[in-house]
């Protein structure tokens, strides 16, 4: 018996040792590189129709010439002098649009393996990241230094991925955050004005913006905005539950998610705001839809327009809430680019949404809430609010096209939707002199489409080629990127890398 027990223990230890060794190999195993396209030489696309997103017009039979990362000539094909040594692409019957931007993303340490190549594969060349790391040595969330390096490498042709135009702080989310994170200073609670100011000072000089979130108290939020202004940093993110939306519009550079408009534009908004941060706060979707007050909504939108506040509605997030029980959501083909570990986490999230109240009445309330959000985004467009495409969803790159479709469903024209993914983000980033248009002197960032998206916004998905910083990714290259990411999403070595970062990351987020 003693010998059997000894053998069992030794065998178990040996098996554990083998598993640990295999896991360590997976963590450190180098993944096959995705080779970036190069931007060498002079290129030209001839006889192509070009979308002028500013005017919402189609310029027929144009030629576009570029060298390096800059457009050097554009105009009617008969008038443009194309250099003799240019590599030429026949654009006959096709349409050129500026490359797309995603203004609400979340990047993680493993994003270069799975997410970032997919942005380029779907024609998204610039993103704004709203998932800052709490400390510089965070093993899970990508920190600002990582994102700047990835952007430099993308522009240098050393990496397939977008330029990250802005990185936020970790979220200022009120009481309890320091305890949840476990390894950060107490001022991460942002419970008091003094803590909020210390939070801003902690991130000043390392990130681009300060991110506000749901549970920060109103006095602390006001101090956060004031301290950020002193530091020359805008505040972006959620409208905190305790802050009036008109005041939030005056204090933040951007407001995310259409649901804040519903929270703040029904006859119970003041009472709901008064109980923010307590168990009494509840998102009663039925009441918010049925008791909607258009005058309140108009006042918020007027404040956003007057202040120049940017609005990122992220309708895909409410779409998945509304239809979490449908097969086209639960078995979305786009999920194949998620690693099974991440796919499982995503399904757990939507299962949790369903479990809160699976009744038909609750399901209908979610649907009506989502549709009302679309309606309010249409009203925002008509009110002159600056709308930007942001996804906050699960399929990098592809979801920008799906969010464009959401904006058209909300009442925007295809041209207005395209502007929200091109010109308006470039304006936000202070890059309007270089991005958002197809014109001489502008960046050579554009998509060659098989069909005209001004006729049907779904045509933005019909990509023949992506030109990013002058480098041409043809259809074969784009398909190759997609295949490689799908292969990585099934890889046991990538699973080891993700698990290892889960193990090391601070508890609570």
């Amino acid at each position: 018996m003693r010998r059997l027990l000894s053998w069992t223990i030794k065998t178990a230890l040996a098996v554990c040792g083998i598993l640990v060794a295999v896991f360590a190999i997976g963590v450190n195993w180098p993944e096959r590189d995705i080779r970036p396209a190069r931007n060498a030489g002079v290129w030209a696309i001839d006889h192509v129709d070009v979308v002028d997103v500013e005017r919402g017009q189609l310029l027929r039979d144009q030629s576009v010439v570029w060298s390096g990362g800059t457009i050097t000539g554009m105009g009617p094909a008969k008038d443009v002098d194309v250099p003799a040594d240019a590599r030429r692409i026949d654009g006959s019957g096709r349409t050129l649009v500026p490359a797309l931007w995603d203004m609400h993303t979340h990047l993680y340490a493993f994003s270069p393996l799975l997410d970032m190549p997919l942005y380029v594969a779907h024609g998204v060349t610039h993103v704004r990241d709203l998932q800052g790391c709490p400390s510089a040595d965070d093993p899970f969330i990508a920190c600002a230094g990582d994102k700047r390096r990835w952007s430099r490498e993308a522009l240098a042709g050393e990496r397939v991925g977008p330029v990250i135009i802005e990185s936020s702080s970790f979220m200022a989310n009120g009481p309890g955050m320091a305890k949840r994170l476990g390894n950060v200073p107490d001022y991460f609670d942002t419970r008091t004005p003094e803590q909020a100011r210390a939070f801003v000072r902690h991130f000043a000089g390392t990130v681009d913006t300060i991110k506000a979130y749901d549970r920060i108290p109103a006095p602390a939020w006001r101090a956060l905005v004031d301290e950020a202004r002193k530091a020359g940093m805008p505040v972006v993110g959620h409208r905190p539950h305790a802050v009036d939306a008109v005041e939030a519009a005056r204090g933040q550079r951007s407001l995310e998610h259409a649901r804040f408009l519903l929270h703040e534009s029904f006859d119970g908004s003041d009472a709901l705001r008064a109980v923010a941060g307590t168990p009494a706060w509840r998102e009663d979707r039925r009441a918010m839809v049925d008791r909607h007050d258009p005058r309140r909504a108009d006042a918020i939108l007027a404040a956003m327009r007057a202040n120049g506040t940017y609005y990122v509605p992220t309708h895909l997030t409410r779409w998945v809430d509304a239809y979490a029980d449908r097969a086209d959501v639960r078995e979305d083909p786009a999920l194949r680019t998620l690693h099974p570990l991440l796919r499982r986490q995503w399904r757990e999230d939507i299962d949790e949404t369903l479990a809160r109240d699976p009744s038909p009445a609750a399901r209908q309330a979610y649907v009506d809430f989502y549709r009302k959000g679309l309606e309010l985004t249409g009203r925002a467009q008509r009110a002159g609010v600056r709308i930007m495409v942001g996804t906050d969803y699960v399929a990098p790159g592809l979801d920008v096209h799906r969010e464009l479709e959401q904006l058209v469903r909300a009442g925007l024209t295809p041209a207005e939707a395209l502007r929200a993914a091109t010109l308006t983000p470039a304006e936000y980033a202070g890059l309007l002199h270089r991005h958002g248009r197809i014109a001489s002197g502008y960046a050579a960032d554009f998509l060659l489409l098989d069909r005209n998206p001004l006729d049907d916004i779904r045509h933005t998905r019909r990509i023949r080629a992506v030109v990013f910083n002058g480098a041409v990714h043809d259809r074969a290259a784009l398909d190759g990127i997609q295949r490689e990411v799908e292969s990585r999403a099934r890889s046991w070595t990538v699973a080891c890398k993700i698990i290892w970062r889960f193990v090391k990351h601070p508890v609570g987020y």
Side-chain angles (χ1 to χ4, degrees):
M1 184 68 176
R2 194 177 302 167
R3 291 172 66 184
L4 176 62
L5 180 60
S6 175
W7 179 86
T8 302
I9 292 172
K10 288 178 181 178
T11 301
L13 290 173
V15 170
C16 288
I18 292 170
L19 291 175
V20 169
V22 169
F23 181 75
I25 290 170
V27 169
N28 294 288
W29 191 269
E31 302 299 326
R32 182 173 57 187
D33 286 338
I34 299 175
R35 223 174 254 182
R38 299 294 178 182
N39 66 358
V42 180
W43 288 78
I45 298 178
D46 296 313
H47 303 293
V48 69
D49 297 337
V50 175
V51 173
D52 180 338
V53 292
E54 186 169 23
R55 296 176 177 81
Q57 297 175 349
L58 196 65
L59 307 176
R60 301 279 186 181
D61 195 28
Q62 304 285 296
S63 285
V64 178
V65 183
W66 69 96
S67 177
T70 301
I71 298 171
T72 57
M74 179 196 153
K78 61 183 178 62
D79 298 332
V80 174
D81 184 19
V82 178
D85 62 343
R87 300 177 66 179
R88 305 180 83 137
I89 300 170
D90 183 8
S92 300
R94 297 196 169 104
T95 304
L96 217 57
V97 297
L100 306 175
W101 296 36
D102 187 339
M103 298 301 281
H104 191 123
T105 62
H106 298 285
L107 296 176
Y108 299 89
F110 54 79
S111 288
L113 287 174
L114 297 173
D115 301 343
M116 292 178 62
L118 288 175
Y119 284 111
V120 174
H122 291 285
V124 178
T125 60
H126 292 73
V127 301
R128 180 178 70 137
D129 184 76
L130 277 86
Q131 182 72 20
C133 61
S135 57
D137 59 349
D138 190 274
F140 192 72
I141 299 176
C143 294
D146 299 321
K147 297 166 197 172
R148 294 188 184 107
R149 174 169 53 83
W150 295 341
S151 295
R152 289 194 300 269
E153 291 169 353
L155 287 172
E158 298 167 359
R159 173 184 297 282
V160 178
V163 171
I164 302 148
I165 58 124
E166 187 174 277
S167 295
S168 77
S169 69
F170 193 71
M171 55 188 174
N173 196 29
M177 291 306 297
K179 183 176 180 180
R180 286 175 61 194
L181 293 168
N183 65 340
V184 297
D186 288 345
Y187 52 71
F188 267 65
D189 280 345
T190 57
R191 178 189 295 110
T192 66
E194 293 74 20
Q195 287 180 322
R197 292 183 185 279
F199 181 90
V200 172
R201 290 193 292 268
H202 174 89
F203 284 104
T206 61
V207 300
D208 305 307
T209 59
I210 298 297
K211 181 178 180 180
Y213 213 68
D214 295 338
R215 297 191 300 113
I216 182 172
W221 175 84
R222 294 183 187 112
L224 189 89
V225 170
D226 182 62
E227 193 68 25
R229 188 179 294 115
K230 291 176 182 177
M233 302 172 72
V235 175
V236 300
H238 291 207
R239 188 278 310 181
H241 293 162
V243 178
D244 179 278
V246 169
E247 184 180 5
R250 292 170 179 159
Q252 292 189 198
R253 186 150 194 253
S254 75
L255 288 167
E256 318 297 307
H257 313 305
R259 66 186 175 203
F260 89 86
L261 289 171
L262 286 102
H263 292 173
E264 285 285 284
S265 61
F266 77 115
D267 62 14
S269 295
D270 296 339
L272 184 66
R273 198 182 318 116
V275 297
T278 76
W281 193 95
R282 187 170 70 91
E283 189 179 52
D284 186 343
R285 296 168 194 83
R286 184 77 273 150
M288 291 172 181
V289 172
D290 292 347
R291 292 155 51 193
H292 176 73
D293 184 347
R295 293 170 300 177
R296 288 175 178 260
D298 289 343
I300 298 167
L301 298 176
M304 293 176 72
R305 178 181 179 179
N307 190 63
T309 310
Y310 291 84
Y311 168 46
V312 188
T314 68
H315 287 297
L316 280 174
T317 55
R318 301 289 77 79
W319 171 79
V320 73
D321 286 347
Y323 302 112
D325 56 342
R326 283 192 346 194
D328 60 336
V329 172
R330 303 183 66 80
E331 305 302 328
D332 187 344
L335 297 177
R336 68 181 182 272
T337 60
L338 288 184
H339 195 278
L341 292 169
L342 304 176
R343 197 179 311 149
R344 178 177 177 179
Q345 182 185 41
W346 179 82
R347 285 213 173 98
E348 286 175 354
D349 289 344
I350 64 170
D351 286 343
E352 184 179 336
T353 298
L354 283 171
R356 290 192 195 108
D357 188 347
S359 69
R363 290 284 83 224
Q364 189 60 49
Y366 271 104
V367 170
D368 293 344
F369 189 82
Y370 155 69
R371 290 174 176 167
K372 193 69 175 179
L374 290 173
E375 177 188 317
L376 289 173
T377 292
R379 190 182 300 174
Q381 173 66 30
R382 294 188 292 275
V385 174
R386 293 177 170 93
I387 298 173
M388 299 193 297
V389 165
T391 59
D392 193 25
Y393 197 53
V394 295
L398 175 61
D399 281 341
V400 169
H401 300 271
R402 302 205 282 195
E403 188 70 17
L404 285 169
E405 293 164 22
Q406 294 288 324
L407 292 183
V408 171
R409 192 173 297 172
L412 279 68
T413 66
E416 289 168 342
L418 281 171
R419 202 171 301 138
T422 55
L423 268 177
T424 307
E427 176 193 65
Y428 173 95
L431 296 172
L432 204 52
H433 63 288
R434 177 74 177 165
H435 292 277
R437 296 182 176 92
I438 300 174
S440 292
Y442 277 70
D445 296 343
F446 38 79
L447 313 184
L448 181 62
L449 305 178
D450 284 336
R451 301 287 295 275
N452 176 14
L454 297 182
D455 293 337
D456 187 334
I457 196 63
R458 291 173 295 182
H459 291 162
T460 61
R461 300 192 190 206
R462 301 188 61 171
I463 300 173
R464 179 59 45 183
V466 172
V467 178
F468 173 33
N469 194 35
V472 179
H473 303 75
D474 61 17
R475 188 64 259 169
L478 301 176
D479 290 341
I481 294 171
Q482 183 79 23
R483 284 194 302 270
E484 180 59 32
V485 173
E486 289 181 20
S487 174
R488 290 177 178 180
R490 299 188 298 268
S491 165
W492 68 271
T493 57
V494 171
C496 292
K497 292 173 174 62
I498 294 172
I499 291 170
W500 180 236
R501 293 190 177 278
F502 266 122
V503 169
K504 293 200 304 178
H505 88 282
V507 175
Y509 67 88

